[in-house]
Amino acid sequence: MAGFTFSPHPVTCDGVSPAALAAAEGTPLYVYSAALIVDRYRALDAALGAYPHRVHYALKANSTLGIVRLLQSAGSAVDANSGGEVAVARRAGVDPRDIVFTGVGKTAAELEEAVCIGVGAINAESAGEVDRIDRIATARGVRARVAVRINPGIEADSHPGIVTGGPEHKFGVPIEDAGAVCRDAAGRPGLALVGVHAHVGSQLTSLDAVARTASTMARFAQDLRDAGVALEHVDLGGGLGISYDGSPALAVAEYARTLVEAVAPTGLTLLVEPGRWIVGPAGALVATVVDVKPQRDGRYFVVLDAGMSELLRPALYGARHRLERLNERSGPTVTCDVVGPICETTDVIRLGQSMPLPEVGDLLLVRDAGAYGSAMASNYNRRALPAEALVEGGAWRMIRRRQTVEDLLACES
Ligand SMILES: Cc1ncc(COP(=O)(O)O)c(C=O)c1O
């Protein structure tokens, strides 16, 4: 596949030097491989084979317009989680029918818009939301396409902050109540119940929860059909994990086979909502060392110009991303706590990194930062959102310019 090459040095992204890119555009800077994003989308699509299916890229992983456009032109549909993501999808040229609209707390305005444009499915979170969608659609004299998001009560093996399918989690309708909610939805004049939906967590690295969710949902859908409810699809959400440390991850072929085998007996179209797996390995964050501080125990703080405002995952989940040096440095290997510049102790990029001591001005590259990186970036400490570059066909172009102070203050008086 295309993408980043880390050895031999120097690091490249599809033939382009991230160091040269940083020299031209400054840091912090996200760099993405267009070819790898498209390759990964196609690999997942191909793994699902001839069985009727649709890949709805989960915008929450990375909704920068240039990336959404890229995936849209490769043929992907989308999963949107807010009115903002629906708007980005439409700006990128996504047909409303190719949007599934998920979200725990959809506002009245978001539901109005989704009904009005006619999204492919609104993944309804509750009996109350089913009722609200029905009222909106009835008032407009249309039938809204809905799927019911079901919480199957399956605890996936992942970080506690990103598992969503257990009984204690806020997502969806508990499976014990879901039959009644679906039958109610199917009988409403303003609704067409087109599917059932589940998403039990992100960064799943074993097949167990995937297989149990797929078979539970297929059985549930079949029971509904046996009860006379005509469905079109089973949406099994996203979640396929990637390797952040280089160890083998769940293979896409095995993941796809598990889903297809479970859903095939129903004959229903299989929908998936992958985010991280498609864009995670295709993006990296380039940052500059702005300070090097010895610690009393022989370690060093290496302070970057990027931190939790550019890449929140280490602070939020204790995530560990691999780092690459873009400058060759010889000298003894020392232990570095690579941290950000923000006034929070949790503002780390990677603790305990062994490497030759960098110098101020050196560049470091944070690997596998394409998902939940720029999408979670914030203006905390009044920091400008980072710039983003897309490498395509041996050249690069900016898909997001760095924010300015004027941008930061644009909404304030
Ligand atoms: C409903 C839903 N679908 C899809 C995804 C994408 O998950 P991932 O990026 O792990 O594939 C998420 C992320 O948590 C989600 O909440």
Side-chain angles (χ1 to χ4, degrees):
M1 278 196 185
F4 292 86
T5 307
F6 299 105
S7 66
H9 260 258
V11 175
T12 55
C13 175
D14 297 331
V16 169
S17 155
L21 235 163
E25 294 295 338
T27 59
L29 174 71
Y30 275 96
V31 179
Y32 306 101
S33 158
L36 186 54
I37 292 171
V38 172
D39 280 0
R40 292 180 76 84
Y41 161 74
R42 290 197 179 129
L44 177 55
D45 191 41
L48 291 165
Y51 188 76
H53 68 270
R54 192 87 171 102
V55 176
H56 286 255
Y57 166 64
L59 294 171
K60 65 171 72 64
N62 189 320
S63 60
T64 302
L65 193 55
I67 286 176
V68 185
R69 281 201 175 117
L70 182 70
L71 282 163
Q72 188 273 340
S73 39
S76 183
V78 303
D79 165 39
N81 239 260
S82 68
E85 286 188 353
V86 170
V88 170
R90 296 203 71 201
R91 186 72 69 90
V94 177
D95 188 306
R97 287 167 299 183
D98 285 334
I99 300 174
V100 293
F101 181 29
T102 319
V104 181
K106 304 179 197 76
T107 64
E110 286 174 325
L111 289 176
E112 283 273 357
E113 171 74 0
V115 170
C116 180
I117 64 174
V119 298
I122 303 174
N123 287 332
E125 281 281 333
S126 65
E129 193 172 277
V130 165
D131 185 54
R132 287 190 288 280
I133 301 167
D134 181 39
R135 284 166 192 265
I136 292 168
T138 307
R140 291 181 167 272
V142 295
R143 282 195 136 203
R145 292 169 58 84
V146 295
V148 172
R149 178 167 183 177
I150 292 166
N151 183 328
I154 291 171
E155 302 276 1
D157 183 17
S158 188
H159 187 280
I162 48 176
V163 293
T164 54
E168 72 280 25
H169 299 130
K170 67 182 177 182
F171 304 91
V173 179
I175 193 154
E176 298 77 9
D177 307 328
V181 173
C182 289
R183 286 191 297 276
D184 171 52
R188 297 228 179 197
L191 303 181
L193 181 70
V194 293
V196 288
H197 171 254
H199 169 81
V200 296
S202 192
Q203 185 53 14
L204 307 178
T205 50
S206 85
L207 264 189
D208 178 56
V210 171
R212 283 190 292 138
T213 304
S215 58
T216 302
M217 292 300 291
R219 214 175 314 119
F220 183 89
Q222 193 54 54
D223 288 349
L224 267 184
R225 298 176 87 204
D226 293 345
V229 177
L231 299 173
E232 295 176 15
H233 72 247
V234 177
D235 181 344
L236 293 176
L240 178 55
I242 61 172
S243 175
Y244 284 100
D245 63 3
S247 61
L250 181 51
V252 64
E254 222 181 331
Y255 169 80
R257 192 177 334 110
T258 303
L259 301 189
V260 169
E261 276 174 11
V263 174
T266 68
L268 295 168
T269 299
L270 168 63
L271 266 51
V272 288
E273 302 168 353
R276 186 190 311 270
W277 194 85
I278 291 181
V279 290
L285 173 63
V286 183
T288 302
V289 175
V290 293
D291 200 4
V292 177
K293 303 204 290 185
Q295 303 182 41
R296 296 191 63 109
D297 63 359
R299 298 157 74 102
Y300 291 83
F301 286 118
V302 172
V303 187
L304 303 182
D305 65 354
M308 65 193 291
S309 49
E310 287 74 29
L311 182 65
L312 185 58
R313 299 188 68 256
L316 189 61
Y317 306 130
R320 290 168 69 81
H321 287 255
R322 284 171 288 178
L323 293 183
E324 301 288 337
R325 289 168 297 120
L326 299 187
N327 306 82
E328 282 299 345
R329 292 272 167 232
S330 47
T333 294
V334 293
T335 304
C336 300
D337 290 329
V338 181
V339 299
I342 294 152
C343 230
E344 296 287 339
T345 302
T346 53
D347 178 32
V348 301
I349 292 292
R350 171 98 195 205
L351 298 180
Q353 172 80 28
S354 296
M355 61 181 170
L357 192 61
E359 292 181 9
V360 169
D362 281 3
L363 295 170
L364 292 183
L365 177 145
V366 186
R367 288 174 66 166
D368 303 311
Y372 306 104
S374 75
M376 286 186 169
S378 79
N379 290 129
Y380 185 43
N381 275 204
R382 287 290 191 176
R383 292 170 57 76
L385 291 180
E388 299 180 53
L390 186 68
V391 174
E392 201 168 18
W396 53 271
R397 64 188 165 90
M398 299 310 291
I399 53 172
R400 185 202 285 265
R401 66 163 169 80
R402 192 176 307 288
Q403 274 186 327
T404 62
V405 173
E406 286 313 309
D407 295 327
L408 281 178
L409 293 171
C411 302
E412 298 177 35
S413 57

